[in-house]
Amino acid sequence: MFLLRDYKDILKKIKNKKPLIHHITNYVTATDCANTVLALGASAVMADDPLEVEEVVIHSDALVLNMGTLNQQKIEAFILAGRKANDLGIPIILDPVGVGGTKLRSEALKRILKEIKVSVIRGNMSEIKHIYGIEEMTRGVDSISDSKDGGKEISKAIAQRHKCVVAITGEIDYISDGNQTFSIRNGHKMLTNITGTGCMTTSLIGVCCGATKDIFMATALAISIMGIAGERAYEDLQDKSGIGSFKVHLLDAIGGFTIELLEERGRIDGLSY
């Protein structure tokens, strides 16, 4: 199966290359994202001062821009780091956390998409719908919309508009590059009970994109890893309501991910247009 061959190749490259993923990210989940990157076999750096971000990007294999705890200094860091990454051909993964919730976030997103060429946009359905242009209230940074609600059409349209890969994560995940679209049905509802699993997923995308030029397949692999890890983490819980223990098991499951697990448990559907 070509998917497994491609995924196996990316996992091997991560192990051999140990890509460095530069995050300008959400301070609420920075530690979780760093540990997620380490668990999969890569390295993370969290540098967000505009005076150093360009220098850090030079040494990085991917750049993650997370809008979770947004401020003006961070927006400037996004732009500076993003332009440098574009100059160097380094993939940029954008997580538009809470976009649509405030004017600051909406205007920041417009500027980012205008001034930077991003490789991947990953968000929940509310966030992605805002980018698409559908008005919908965003409650905090959480999605109040169902990922099944037009996910494949919206992901394809935004991917074509911005010439990038778009990933909508939720009960069903959709990944599109404008030509091909996958749906992924792995995961567990416990993933929504702890803060940061979306940010962690974005970091996993950064790791996979930092190891290959196949951005579409890298994004699909990263989302599959999080979904399967979530399932395994829940299965390993002694107390099925223990969210703290679930988080520990989740990191363990990411660290123990193998291609054999994907072959056994992956629920990926290729949707052709």
Side-chain angles (χ1 to χ4, degrees):
M1 182 179 178
F2 82 96
L3 281 179
L4 291 177
R5 184 176 67 245
D6 293 342
Y7 288 167
K8 186 176 182 179
D9 181 60
I10 295 171
L11 289 171
K12 183 178 179 180
K13 287 179 178 177
I14 293 170
K15 181 178 180 180
N16 292 337
K17 186 177 182 181
K18 300 186 185 306
L20 177 63
I21 314 305
H22 179 189
H23 291 67
I24 303 176
T25 192
N26 179 348
Y27 60 67
V28 175
T29 62
T31 300
D32 296 328
C33 291
N35 285 331
T36 298
V37 169
L38 290 168
L40 199 59
S43 297
V45 59
M46 307 286 175
D48 62 6
D49 193 303
L51 294 177
E52 71 170 353
V53 291
E54 292 173 288
E55 185 177 355
V56 175
V57 166
I58 292 171
H59 302 290
S60 303
D61 297 292
L63 173 64
V64 171
L65 305 179
N66 182 305
M67 293 174 55
T69 48
L70 198 63
N71 55 55
Q72 289 294 342
Q73 176 174 296
K74 192 168 289 185
I75 294 169
E76 293 306 315
F78 285 168
I79 300 301
L80 290 170
R83 288 173 177 168
K84 178 61 71 174
N86 283 165
D87 290 343
L88 298 172
I90 294 169
I92 300 172
I93 298 84
L94 174 64
D95 192 334
V97 180
V99 69
T102 67
K103 182 178 179 180
L104 174 67
R105 292 176 186 275
S106 297
E107 293 301 317
L109 179 68
K110 289 178 183 178
R111 184 179 174 193
I112 292 166
L113 293 177
K114 180 180 179 180
E115 299 187 30
I116 298 171
K117 174 68 175 70
V118 300
S119 305
V120 183
I121 302 172
R122 188 223 64 87
N124 62 41
M125 179 57 87
S126 290
E127 294 157 351
I128 300 300
K129 275 189 172 181
H130 180 82
I131 297 172
Y132 185 67
I134 298 173
E135 292 299 324
E136 180 165 354
M137 183 182 297
T138 301
R139 184 175 58 225
V141 297
D142 299 319
S143 175
I144 57 172
S145 189
D146 192 327
S147 68
K148 294 179 288 188
D149 184 16
K152 59 185 179 181
E153 293 83 5
I154 292 172
S155 61
K156 178 185 177 184
I158 297 175
Q160 290 176 339
R161 181 190 304 170
H162 293 288
K163 296 179 172 57
C164 67
V165 172
V166 173
I168 305 174
T169 51
E171 182 180 348
I172 301 174
D173 306 312
Y174 293 98
I175 303 98
S176 181
D177 64 1
N179 294 311
Q180 55 186 336
T181 304
F182 288 169
S183 65
I184 300 176
R185 298 171 185 267
N186 287 109
H188 193 277
K189 63 182 181 180
M190 279 287 282
L191 288 168
T192 65
N193 291 344
I194 60 173
T195 297
T197 52
C199 299
M200 293 162 70
T201 302
T202 301
S203 291
L204 288 176
I205 295 172
V207 173
C208 294
C209 288
T212 180
K213 294 186 181 299
D214 192 339
I215 302 300
F216 176 78
M217 294 301 292
T219 302
L221 171 60
I223 290 173
S224 294
I225 291 171
M226 179 56 79
I228 293 170
E231 294 170 359
R232 296 188 68 216
Y234 183 76
E235 291 165 5
D236 289 342
L237 273 183
Q238 297 298 318
D239 177 359
K240 296 303 184 182
S241 64
I243 61 172
S245 298
F246 176 79
K247 188 174 182 180
V248 173
H249 286 304
L250 180 63
L251 282 173
D252 288 344
I254 292 170
F257 186 84
T258 64
I259 196 67
E260 288 76 21
L261 281 169
L262 183 61
E263 185 173 14
E264 174 189 347
R265 307 183 66 140
R267 294 193 290 164
I268 306 169
D269 297 320
L271 307 175
S272 56
Y273 289 86

